[in-house]
Amino acid sequence: MPAPAADPRPHRAPKALGGLAALACVACCALPLLITAGVVGGGAGAMVGWLPGLAVVLAVLAAGTWWLGRRLRPCSCAPETAGGRRCGCEPSAEPLRITRVDRG
């Protein structure tokens, strides 16, 4: 099992919140048409008023969770690949040396 810091899978919360925001936007536009057509009852008209606000809140939450996930995510390299250090993404005090590799 890979270490949590080495897990490259994206988190699902921003995608789920973004999808719910898109669904709220679609419902906000579609509900008045569905009420007019008689497909949905008039009681659904009460939801039309707060759907735009809900869509904005969900979109802000999606953006916030995405930003926090990017900002707070630890390094993407496992301790095994970092030569025993906690994370290979830490800055090194030694200068980087580029050498030629002979593949004889």
Side-chain angles (χ1 to χ4, degrees):
M1 184 168 157
D7 191 8
R9 292 180 300 177
H11 296 283
R12 293 185 180 150
K15 290 181 183 179
L17 289 170
L20 288 174
L23 184 65
C25 287
V26 168
C28 179
C29 295
L31 271 178
L33 296 173
L34 293 174
I35 292 170
T36 303
V39 176
V40 182
M47 292 191 331
V48 173
W50 56 267
L51 278 174
L54 178 67
V56 168
V57 168
L58 287 171
V60 167
L61 284 174
T65 55
W66 175 82
W67 181 77
L68 280 175
R70 289 286 189 195
R71 183 161 170 80
L72 299 178
R73 184 170 295 167
C75 296
S76 62
C77 38
E80 295 83 26
T81 62
R85 294 184 306 186
R86 188 179 128 271
C87 184
C89 301
E90 295 173 354
S92 176
E94 300 130 14
L96 179 63
R97 296 188 188 269
I98 301 174
T99 59
R100 193 178 90 195
V101 177
D102 291 326
R103 297 188 181 174

